[in-house]
Amino acid sequence: MTDRLPLAGVIGRPIGHSRSPALHRHWLARYGLPGDYTAFEVAEDDLAEVVRMLPKMGVVGVNVTVPHKVAALAIADRVTDRATLVGAANLLIFQADGRILADNTDGYGFLANIRAGAPGWSAGSGPVAVLGAGGAARGVIAALIEDGATDIRLANRTRTKAEALHRAFGNKVQVVDWHHAGEMIGDVQTLVNTTTMGMTGAAEFRLPLDALRPETVVTDIVYTPLRTPLLERAEAAGCVTVDGLGMLLHQAVPAFERFFGTRPEVDDAARQAVLSDA
Ligand code: ATR
């Protein structure tokens, strides 16, 4: 046995703007736990070598972010079913037997965030509209299906990418033409934006929202700004809105528990820890 402090971190490139260190360090301090969490900037060509080195330096696991989420699967010795389904990992655990386990907690974070913001919500209790068909959409759709969704309507600017997700997930996912996305949101229980529209520095959010009804729960995985144009307009329409920062916070909960042995709470102090570091 070693008496080294548990170390964990996040690997990506660029990594300077990651808010994960601030969050994990906040929780370490709050629960009085030994250990540390740091950011590792790693180039794509070096990923496998660095990951194999980390356990030798006392690192117990790492979060994985852009651009390594897909490559991380190939490095792992074992991959959880949910990471296989999503085709990407956001967590690598260095096990005591020397093997590397890849997992994905993004779907957990997505569901926990909506449940916290919209009590009583469940993905299976009505149609869900999803905007976007990139890597984030894949994780969101896997989570929605895991929570019982059977009627997911998917619209993406590039239709072929939405069709690929329909093929991957089957008939629970139906493709809606991007030009009809504005109409599709009028009769759903949940609306999820997984596109980058509305993000600071990215394209404007340009979808007609007149059809939105107050019964619809609206969530955006974009969290810069915190109140995205979509969420502001949904709020004005009387909808319950759930911001994307909560997903970042909640996906970190199972990771922190695996690293440091304590299940942390997502509360205002945790949100502030992330925001004040921004
Ligand atoms: P991520 O992995 O975060 O999902 P991504 O794979 O680059 O990122 O996907 C970005 C998503 O935002 C895509 O669905 C993209 O649509 P395309 O597949 O047509 O590229 C969507 N997106 C980005 N800019 C957009 C815009 N101006 N209008 C509509 N959709 C946009």
Side-chain angles (χ1 to χ4, degrees), residues 132-137 156-158 161 178 194-197 203-204 221:
N156 191 51
R157 179 179 60 178
T158 309
K161 286 209 233 161
W178 185 244
T194 76
T195 77
T196 49
M197 286 190 305
E204 247 178 83
I221 68 157

Side-chain angles (χ1 to χ4, degrees), residues 51-52 60-62 64 72-73 75-83 89-104 258-259:
V51 164
R52 291 280 165 200
V60 294
V62 283
V64 181
L73 285 186
I75 292 170
D77 303 301
R78 289 178 51 215
V79 179
T80 62
D81 290 345
R82 57 185 169 228
N90 76 336
L91 178 61
L92 293 175
I93 299 292
F94 304 132
Q95 297 179 312
D97 63 6
R99 292 198 293 180
I100 299 175
L101 172 70
D103 197 1
N104 194 318
R258 297 293 289 272
F259 299 151

